[in-house]
Amino acid sequence: MKAIEISNLTVNLNSLEVLKNINLSLDEGKFIGIVGPNGGGKTTLLRVILGLIKPSSGNVLVFGSHPEVVLRKGNTFGYLPQILKIKPNFPIRVVDVVMMGRYGKIGMLRWPKERDMEKALEYLSIMGMEELKNKPFGQLSGGQQQRASIARALAGEPRILILDEPNTGIDVIGQEDFYHLLNGLRKKINITIVMASHDIGAITSYVDEIACLNYTFHYHGNPLGALNETILTELYGKNVDVLMHTDICDKCERLRRG
Ligand SMILES: Nc1ncnc2c1ncn2[C@@H]1O[C@H](COP(=O)(O)OP(=O)(O)O)[C@@H](O)[C@H]1O
Ligand SMILES: [Mg+2]
């Protein structure tokens, strides 16, 4: 079953063409990284998949249905937007943040049941956060908040987890652990993951596929194939020198040596 099928997608926002001729076919259970520079259209593409932005032309299907239908049905998407909207001083425990992710399942007028709490704790534990369940969310480190937020996104038991630059504002140390953890999720729960990132270097060892997006796809396929100077120059322009001579070269070498 295809989780996502996009054909000839074009998107105009306020008469600016933001995405052009996007084609993507993603199998259920895959982990795809959408990489590209700021302003390249990653968030827009995610919002189209989520049914929040209408295509100007082309066709988008999520598990065979139109995204706005999927969105209305609920429970298909777990979404972690680029900016978290919880104020640091807001007095809410970690476990309550995760429970917020079950409101779609619980229904706004129902009291949470024992099973809801069990599920919240299960996802906290999958994210390695169970011991911090009673801590105020605002007292967690950036990386811990990120993990708790993923537990919240998973708590609604979605079929597709959509992450928009989950590492923005988080220190580099621990990032690879985080990607590793995401990758391992698929062995624990049956889920498809779509992650946008401007960081092409770190994710290549963990994703199944990479799509390089700057207005249109400059590459889509095996992650190793994306680590190519021509593609990277198309994506990032002359800044590619900086990328090529640091992170990515190391990564290429390590991957080539296996
Ligand atoms: N609501 C909007 N109206 C007009 N232009 C927009 C809107 N949202 C985003 N854009 C433009 O679309 C382009 C892609 O933005 P975005 O999808 O946020 O890229 P990314 O997430 O890769 O940084 C940018 O040029 C941005 O300025
Ligand atoms: Mg974005």
Side-chain angles (χ1 to χ4, degrees):
M1 175 88 164
K2 293 287 177 197
I4 298 171
E5 283 222 83
I6 299 176
S7 45
N8 300 317
L9 170 71
T10 297
V11 175
N12 297 292
L13 297 175
N14 294 326
S15 72
L16 175 74
E17 194 170 62
V18 172
L19 295 176
K20 188 181 177 72
N21 199 25
I22 305 282
N23 292 286
L24 175 70
S25 175
L26 186 71
D27 285 327
E28 183 169 19
K30 293 284 183 204
F31 183 4
I32 186 171
I34 314 272
V35 299
N38 284 331
K42 300 181 295 295
T43 297
T44 304
L45 179 58
L46 295 184
R47 291 175 61 82
V48 169
I49 294 169
L50 285 161
L52 299 171
I53 294 177
K54 241 186 163 9
S56 305
S57 64
N59 198 26
V60 179
L61 293 175
V62 173
F63 292 114
S65 300
H66 290 287
E68 66 270 21
V69 176
V70 176
L71 182 69
R72 248 181 280 129
K73 216 175 67 189
N75 292 343
T76 299
F77 299 116
Y79 177 38
L80 188 63
Q82 201 161 350
I83 296 158
L84 262 183
K85 293 195 186 87
I86 297 173
K87 294 204 182 79
N89 295 327
F90 191 70
I92 183 168
R93 293 177 307 161
V94 170
V95 66
D96 299 322
V97 169
V98 179
M99 283 295 265
M100 285 163 68
R102 283 194 71 80
Y103 287 162
K105 281 242 190 278
I106 297 166
M108 288 309 267
L109 298 174
R110 265 206 314 115
W111 204 247
K113 290 205 168 77
E114 211 170 302
R115 184 182 147 74
D116 295 308
M117 181 56 83
E118 278 168 17
K119 277 283 158 194
L121 293 177
E122 180 187 329
Y123 290 111
L124 268 176
S125 130
I126 285 175
M127 296 309 292
M129 290 286 298
E130 208 181 357
E131 281 173 12
L132 297 172
K133 64 182 179 204
N134 290 323
K135 261 212 155 190
F137 184 80
Q139 286 180 16
L140 301 182
S141 73
Q144 289 167 339
Q145 289 194 355
Q146 172 195 47
R147 281 160 197 247
S149 305
I150 305 249
R152 175 174 72 167
L154 292 174
E157 297 174 78
R159 296 176 78 183
I160 305 182
L161 180 62
I162 296 192
L163 309 169
D164 196 354
E165 306 213 32
N167 285 318
T168 305
I170 289 171
D171 48 64
V172 180
I173 301 160
Q175 270 187 29
E176 299 224 356
D177 284 350
F178 173 69
Y179 297 135
H180 185 72
L181 205 149
L182 279 182
N183 189 314
L185 260 184
R186 287 148 345 124
K187 293 180 195 98
K188 293 178 180 150
I189 51 181
N190 178 29
I191 197 156
T192 306
I193 306 178
V194 182
M195 179 170 74
S197 174
H198 58 260
D199 164 23
I200 190 172
I203 68 172
T204 38
S205 332
Y206 304 101
V207 295
D208 301 310
E209 300 177 20
I210 275 191
C212 296
L213 176 63
N214 189 6
Y215 175 52
T216 190
F217 279 169
H218 293 269
Y219 173 84
H220 170 226
N222 181 297
L224 265 183
L227 298 175
N228 160 304
E229 192 156 3
T230 311
I231 293 167
L232 294 174
T233 306
E234 277 180 19
L235 265 191
Y236 294 98
K238 56 181 170 10
N239 293 332
V240 75
D241 280 350
V242 181
L243 283 165
M244 285 304 284
H245 291 116
T246 55
D247 204 18
I248 288 178
C249 278
D250 294 351
K251 180 73 67 182
C252 286
E253 270 314 300
R254 261 191 284 154
L255 287 171
R256 273 194 210 103
R257 283 190 309 243

